[in-house]
Amino acid sequence: MGAVVRLSWTSLRQSLRRDAPARGRQLAALALVIVAVCTFVALSWQLDGPTETNRFWRANLSLLTGTVAFLVGMFAHAEDPLDERALVQAGQRPTAAAFSALIAALCSPRGVVWLLGGLLTAMSSLHEGTLLAGGLVGVCLALIDRAGGVSARGLVEYGVAREARAIGGYVITGAVGVAGYTLLLLPWQTAIAQFDAAYAETALWLPLSGAMLANSLDDPAIASRTLAVAAVQLLVLLVVLFAFGVRTGRRLLVARSDGGASRFGLMGTAAGGASRAIAWRIGMAWLRDHRYVTVMVTVIILPVLIVIPLLIGGADRGWMALLPLPLATFLLGWAIHNDLAFDSSASWLHFTSGMRGSADRFGRALPSLIMGIVTVIGGVAFLGLFVNGWPQAFATGAVALALLLVSLGGSSIMSVVVPYAVARPGDPPLSQPIRSWGAAVLAHPVAGIVEAALCLPVILTAIRAINESSWGYVGLATALAIGIGTVCLWGGVAIGGKLYERRAVQLLHFAQQN
């Protein structure tokens, strides 16, 4: 065991040499851990106290620090010398290799820093159980760091690391957008004062936060129970990591040969239909193409940024709290108004395959349609729980659904009629040749205005439903949204498909020149 620990420290020392390729990432990971621990300790000392509000913020602080530990582990996984496969190749059995890697992870430089941080957070209130609570926090953070590295290696092994990184980036961006929305538009101070006690009670049962809050509890029996729960959760995490380590080591000993059946997993659904194949290709572009990523980040952040000047101008805060959801779904549908130009030379594959234009149009719209429906469902749930009430939430969701469907139908037409040049694949997303926009500068904004105007019946009905808190008008607004949206989406796909087939030569010429 001592040899494994020495190996981890020796590997770190070698990776920090000037000529080591992993030097920058290792230094960055260690610096991130030190900064995170210092921030964690300082804030936990500031929030020390038996009040429910302090417990609320300490619980959130522990969960945030755990997230940072997981992300650091993922960030530094490529340079991690504590890989069970290397120990198995050195002659250890898989079980011994998994156990050695876990112990070495706790004794690695990052593991030691996490452990010290956990102990220091508990020192703010010295009494019986302090060291145990701090040790549980520190060990849990070190194991979460390890879990991040194991997860990243698994994603790399299965070839989905890039997609997972994009999804994680979208989640973080969305969390930032929701946080900005909450701080700007919601009475979060009142909500914290109202729910902090219930949240703090629930946090006692959550991983990491239970051990973090144990020292602030007045009842020794509850504190002991909380520490026992935290210890069981830590043991479960140890067992899971050990099992994954054993599995990783054993897979190295299994002889594998080429050939056999090909398994496509979820992507097997792409076979048998042109629309499904195109939908999968565009869906992967949302995760792999930096130009699509730029568009998605804009869709997430822009609704909140639009609301800020309206609030400064004196707009009603209650109405502004309902505005970001319809804006987000409208932008999501409108964002594909030029997706044909993103294909560049890949457009040849679509045209020469002989597929129907409607299949191309619907396949391109399908990923945005799925993301938009998920956004509507999540947005309605959020508004109903935290903002104005369920009638207002469902009325807002009806408007958001109508704008999504209508804008997708309009974009299915406009991307064929008025495409404009964009950055080529592999180029920086913002290197768009503005000089070649031409009529598209006016055509696409005007199309967006027309799409919003088509949703006026839904918008007016939803406003009345919100003002009167009427479920009847909510149902009418929802029916109008589904009816108008479905007709516009189906009509846009059909018309866009016909134009796609008719303008094939012009679109090929456009793709060749841009």
Side-chain angles (χ1 to χ4, degrees), residues 205-218:
W205 299 90
L206 297 177
L208 188 63
S209 60
M212 183 76 176
L213 297 176
N215 285 342
S216 62
L217 298 174
D218 297 326

Side-chain angles (χ1 to χ4, degrees), residues 158-214:
Y158 284 100
V160 293
R162 182 168 54 173
E163 291 79 6
R165 185 167 59 246
I167 293 173
Y170 288 150
V171 170
I172 294 173
T173 306
V176 171
V178 172
Y181 169 83
T182 302
L183 294 175
L184 281 173
L185 299 169
L186 299 187
W188 56 272
Q189 299 96 331
T190 305
I192 290 175
Q194 184 177 358
F195 297 108
D196 57 357
Y199 180 83
E201 182 67 25
T202 304
L204 295 178
W205 299 90
L206 297 177
L208 188 63
S209 60
M212 183 76 176
L213 297 176

